[in-house]
Every structure is written in structure tokens, then in C-alpha cells.
Amino acid sequence: MKGSSGEARAEAFANIALAKYWGKADVPLNLPAVPSISITLDPLRTETHVRFDPDLERDGFELDQVSAEEGERRRVEALLDQVRAEAGMTERARVVSRNHFPTAAGLASSASGFAALAAAARAAAGLDWDTKRISSLARQASASAARSVFGGFVELPAGEPGDADLAARPLFAEQHWDLCVVVAVTAEARKPVGSTRGMNHTRNTSPYYRPWVDAAPALAERVRAGVAHRDLPSLGAAMEQSTLAMHACAMAADPGILYWQPATLSAIHALRAAREQDGLQAWLTVDAGPHVKALCAESDVDHVKTLLDGTEGVLRTLVCRPGSGVKLV
Ligand code: DP6
């Protein structure tokens, strides 16, 4: 069954993990080895258009007006293959995606991209799926994308072996808590080691991988409780520990993976010093890249932004707030 038009457009926001996902329980099914919890981030938005076309010989994928490299195209094709199999279709598709991030923010996100793609592809194929199924489809392409299907505060549980339907679930809507995330952009270049490769290499070679997997559920539980009670200091402490544990685990791989740049460390120290000396209520997190994200209350945004803007090596900052889930546009 195919939708009458065979095309659809969807948009989704990126997200930042408060409790980190790092490592897979099942590589072919792309199941995370640990639970993760995120905030969906407005305004980091990706818009994706999918059009199935009987005249196409293969799937095409264009991102920000540039044809994607073969590896990226194949990831898109793999997601489309699943949609085609479910819908009983054979048509190839043209996928056009745009990141509506501030120019050259260096924050390109597979999470918003695959969430928008999953939603647009299922609609273009005329499949009547709920958000849980869309999240599961997005998860198979990129696990963090499963979380961007939902707005606000979102959890992706760890996968049980063979659980092909694993999906993220919303914990609290975006109105639950008016938290802010100040993103400190520290580099323009693409990260040298992608998340998928980085976490598989960590699993295969880091002596700290098992301890990380063992520790992560308790960290996620502390993050979940902090979000539920709107308790920023306890959420912040658990988030920082999750971040540092994930990076320590990756750094201990062989050879070690080091996503941080000098500016990453400068921003971390600036934020921690302001917290310890001036009582600034802000906590940090860093994904598989060099940028630092600071979590704070609305009332502290100006202070945090000024601090990070004045930190050596920080190129610019960007203020995000809890965003909504994926939608057709
Ligand atoms: C550090 O979701 O990009 O951002 O499932 O292999 O595509 P794949 O990985 P991805 O990894 C995200 C890792 C992280 C932490 C997080 O978002 O939870």
C-alpha cells in the first residue's frame, strides 16, 4: 500500500543526552547496551522530504543541497528498505534533507535527521504507524534518533537481545520544565570518529567498557529522578558523571578516542569554576564531539552564555529549550 501522493515531509529536533548511550547490545539490530535519557532541543531542527518515484533506479539522498557520501546514502537506503518491505513497495526514493541550524554551527545531527526521515518515509509509503513504530524504525538507523521522535524529556531503554521493536518513550512533555541548554560551539569540522565506530571500538578494546555498562543504569535512574523532581543540582551531577564516565571509557580504548579539544576543556573548567566559586547553577555535558552543552535554569541563561562566549576557543553559543516531537509538515 502506498500513500496516494507517494511523498511526505517531516521535521524533527535534535536532542542531547542527559544520561548517555554508548555501546550496543546487538550490532545488527542497533540495540543500545545502556538506557539513555534526553531533552529534545528547539531550535536545532531538520526538515526531510521523501518522494517515492517509479522512475528512479536507486535511492538518492541530498543533505543541505549536497549529495551525501555513499556511507550516509546507504544508511538512508537501509531505512527505506524496511519501509518498502512493510508497505510491499519496490519504488526507490529521493530524499532531500535540510538542517535549519544556525549557519555552520557544527552541530549536524543524525538524531534529528533519522527521526524526520523515518516519519516522512512511513507517511510517503502510506503506512499507518504510531510514534512508537516510527521511533523503532529511527532507532535502527541511529539509536539517538529514536529519542528525537518525541518532545520534551525522553528515555530509550537498554535493548534486550533480539528486541527488534525497541523504541524510545516520552517521560515528560516539553512543558514539564523550562530548562535551558547553552551550546558552546568549539569547532566547525566534522568529528573524526563517528559515534557508531567510536562505540564499537570502545566495546571491543576498552577495559572500562564493562564497568561503564554496569554503572550506566544507576546513572540513568538518578537522571530520571532529577528530571521528575525538577531538581537541577541532582540532575546536573548525574549528567556530568554520565558524560565523564562515557568519555573515560572511550579514552581508555586502544587506541584511545579523544573527542575533546582544548576549548572543550576550557569551557568545562570555566563552568565548574563559576559553579564552585560563584554558585552558578549550571552543569555540562559533551557528546561524541568537542562541543560543550551547559544545562541551566532560564534565569541563569545570560550568565552562562556570557561565560561561555568569553571562554578561549569557543566560537559561538546557541541557546536551546525543550522542543516538541517529530511532525509532518
Ligand atoms: C554520545 O545515536 O549517533 O551522542 O546508534 O550508532 O547511530 P548510532 O549512534 P548515535 O550515538 C549517540 C552517542 C552520544 C550519546 C547519546 O546521544 O546518547
Side-chain angles (χ1 to χ4, degrees):
M1 180 183 77
K2 193 172 85 158
S4 53
S5 62
E7 63 182 307
R9 187 186 304 276
E11 61 177 38
F13 291 117
N15 69 78
I16 175 84
L18 306 169
K20 299 294 183 202
Y21 146 56
W22 195 252
K24 298 174 197 291
D26 182 320
V27 173
L29 287 179
N30 202 33
L31 296 172
V34 298
S36 57
I37 296 174
S38 60
I39 308 186
T40 304
L41 295 179
D42 186 346
L44 304 184
R45 180 169 58 96
T46 301
E47 188 182 322
T48 298
H49 181 255
V50 175
R51 182 169 55 82
F52 287 102
D53 181 345
D55 295 333
L56 290 175
E57 284 179 5
R58 65 176 215 158
D59 295 317
F61 174 38
E62 188 183 288
L63 175 60
D64 288 337
Q65 299 183 310
V66 177
S67 274
E69 60 190 49
E70 187 54 17
E72 283 301 303
R73 197 199 65 81
R74 285 235 181 87
R75 286 176 86 176
V76 167
E77 186 173 61
L79 186 149
L80 293 170
D81 281 345
Q82 297 211 39
V83 169
R84 277 188 285 260
E86 285 288 334
M89 295 167 58
T90 53
E91 286 100 324
R92 303 281 126 184
R94 178 169 151 73
V95 176
V96 178
S97 202
R98 255 197 85 189
N99 285 324
H100 292 268
F101 300 169
T103 317
L107 294 169
S109 158
S110 62
S112 51
F114 283 113
L117 174 64
R122 80 91 205 148
L127 290 167
D128 185 19
W129 284 3
D130 60 11
T131 43
K132 189 168 179 238
R133 274 197 92 173
I134 295 170
S135 174
S136 175
L137 177 68
R139 190 261 310 146
Q140 290 167 62
S142 186
S144 55
R147 301 185 310 235
S148 272
V149 169
F150 300 102
F153 301 83
V154 184
E155 171 161 28
L156 177 63
E160 298 294 331
D163 182 7
D165 297 333
L166 183 76
R169 57 181 176 231
L171 289 176
F172 299 98
E174 52 271 36
Q175 297 80 12
H176 171 69
W177 195 2
D178 55 352
L179 270 183
C180 295
V181 176
V182 182
V183 180
V185 177
T186 60
E188 304 287 11
R190 247 178 113 91
K191 58 193 172 197
V193 182
S195 309
T196 308
R197 192 153 70 86
M199 67 177 79
N200 287 337
H201 176 66
T202 304
R203 184 176 77 149
N204 293 334
T205 65
S206 174
Y208 297 164
Y209 181 69
R210 217 354 86 191
W212 152 253
V213 171
D214 291 344
L219 288 169
E221 183 50 48
R222 281 170 56 199
V223 164
R224 196 181 303 111
V227 172
H229 299 121
R230 300 189 192 89
D231 181 342
L232 184 55
S234 61
L235 165 60
M239 178 182 77
E240 278 199 12
Q241 199 186 351
S242 174
T243 299
L244 297 175
M246 178 209 120
H247 283 274
C249 178
M251 283 179 204
D254 181 19
I257 305 169
L258 189 49
Y259 287 110
W260 299 358
Q261 293 294 329
T264 316
L265 264 178
S266 298
I268 291 172
H269 283 301
L271 212 66
R272 285 189 146 191
R275 196 164 75 220
E276 277 149 30
Q277 287 152 26
D278 311 335
L280 179 65
Q281 297 291 284
W283 284 263
L284 65 97
T285 182
V286 184
D287 273 341
H291 313 301
V292 174
K293 286 105 174 177
L295 196 63
C296 65
E298 184 73 56
S299 52
D300 283 324
V301 162
D302 290 347
H303 189 162
V304 172
K305 193 170 156 28
T306 304
L307 180 82
L308 291 172
D309 277 328
T311 299
E312 194 176 349
V314 171
L315 303 175
R316 68 185 74 81
T317 55
L318 183 67
V319 177
C320 301
R321 296 187 169 78
S324 53
V326 72
K327 58 174 182 281
L328 294 174
V329 288

